[in-house]
Amino acid sequence: MSALINLYEFARSGQRAEGELELIRMLRLESPKREGVLRWQAVGFVSRQKKPQLDLEIAGIVDLVCQRCLEPVKLKLALQRRFLVARSEQEADEVPMDDDHIEVVVGSESFDIEALVEDEVLLSLPLVPMHQDCHHPELRLDENKALSESIEGKAAESKPSPFAVLEKLKSK
Ligand SMILES: [Zn+2]
């Protein structure tokens, strides 16, 4: 099935589409086994400001490798994204980014929605996938938790706490 759509028309007339992206076709995914599918659903609409928009939902399970024990770890994905559909790269650059809940995508009359699905999945993967508990690897890694844990972990390593900085200032 081809997933090429006229994204402007799709949004303007409020169309819906859904499909399954086979993981085996996600060539950029680094995974020990690219099995199964990701289900996606796209809904076009026009915002109150008369801007074409796209809601995209993606769900499925991706197999990754735990960077702590090097065993497989399953990542359950449940992504929801909202996009403003821009006419050009230039228009996309000019969109004020005051809303964290919306992304910008440059539309096309033959837009490859599966490529967008793949991009969003790859962007959502944790930099360092890990089991919550390597001794009980059947526990599924939760996407958001994994992300915040890896970010917090890094922040804690690299940044001294503000109190430590204060202590230093006091002692000078
Ligand atoms: Zn592990």
Side-chain angles (χ1 to χ4, degrees), residues 1 18-23 25 36-40 114 117:
M1 173 203 142
E18 58 183 29
E20 290 182 343
L21 177 59
E22 292 171 58
L23 286 169
R25 290 170 53 205
V37 297
L38 297 174
R39 293 187 316 280
W40 59 264
E114 286 192 342
V117 170

Side-chain angles (χ1 to χ4, degrees), residues 4 8 36 40 45 72 80 121 137 160:
L4 294 185
Y8 306 114
W40 59 264
F45 64 103
Q80 291 184 313
V121 169

Side-chain angles (χ1 to χ4, degrees), residues 28-47:
R28 289 179 289 153
L29 175 68
E30 285 182 40
S31 170
K33 52 171 187 173
R34 294 202 296 260
E35 284 175 3
V37 297
L38 297 174
R39 293 187 316 280
W40 59 264
Q41 184 178 53
V43 180
F45 64 103
V46 178
S47 73

Side-chain angles (χ1 to χ4, degrees), residues 66 69 131 134:
C66 173
C69 68
H131 294 113
C134 289

